[in-house]
Amino acid sequence: MQEILSALAEPNRLQIVELLRRKPLAVGEIVERLGLRQPQVSKHLRVLSDAGLVEVRPLGQQRIYRLRAQALKELDGWLDPYRRTWNERFDQLDDVLRDLKGKDKERKDGRRK
Amino acid sequence: MQEILSALAEPNRLQIVELLRRKPLAVGEIVERLGLRQPQVSKHLRVLSDAGLVEVRPLGQQRIYRLRAQALKELDGWLDPYRRTWNERFDQLDDVLRDLKGKDKERKDGRRK
DNA sequence: CAGACATATTCCTTTAGGCGTATATATGAC
DNA sequence: GTCATATATACGCCTAAAGGAATATGTCTG
């Protein structure tokens, strides 16, 4: 998860991922579409690959990269517990206020849950 | 989006977010639970706040940080187009092979990763 | 007011990572 | 084999950003 997030955190890599959303591409195609230099694209693809976000298949002398759904599903799964939370009451601040003060202080502002 | 991702890419910050998933916390509580030093926690919270991932409310001399659902929803929304894709056929490689070669050569690479 | 507590900010050092250039590796055509 | 093409890797440079220590800011109590 950590690896996935830091892979996506780099702007050019995020662009690559979004490019690959449409369809798998060879390195050279990514190079020309993003206007980056070939070595940087290869390096970024390496990082994305290590993070499990893309996979490669050779086709002649070129390498076709495509997205791996699994990695994105992992990210999606990470969001799961948060989804549950933000549908309930997300402003539990008042509860915490009570926790922190706790010792039956008076509540002069009159706020309640 | 970019900002959200790079904020989450830092391991300690990701931990802070996961801590705050349960309930809002004061800075000092985060410090003791994560075993980090107070200035670093404040700095990380600053980054998270700039990215819109958390918000603060003062409570006496402490500051209560809590998650902002909105930011996570944004991330969730970013995944949307991918969700659609990975439910269909995600392995369009063969299509692309045909596109690139145009003629049907043999297909026996068989190598993985 | 002083003094405590909680948090934020500043300054400095160190490290991680991105970019550019050059080069290495691999495959196909001849 | 040589050459061309496609991609990967290595090396050095440079900037962003993380960590540490000290200090500033802010708030409460007496």
Side-chain angles (χ1 to χ4, degrees), chain A residues 20 24-31 45 62-65, chain B residues 100:
Chain A
L20 294 180
L25 292 175
V27 178
E29 300 178 291
I30 300 176
V31 167
L45 285 168
Q62 38 189 21
R63 306 294 155 106
I64 310 297
Y65 283 83
Chain B
L100 289 172

Side-chain angles (χ1 to χ4, degrees), chain A residues 27-28 38-39 42-43 46 61-62 65:
Chain A
V27 178
Q38 178 266 317
S42 281
K43 287 181 219 173
R46 185 71 145 93
Q61 34 190 357
Q62 38 189 21
Y65 283 83

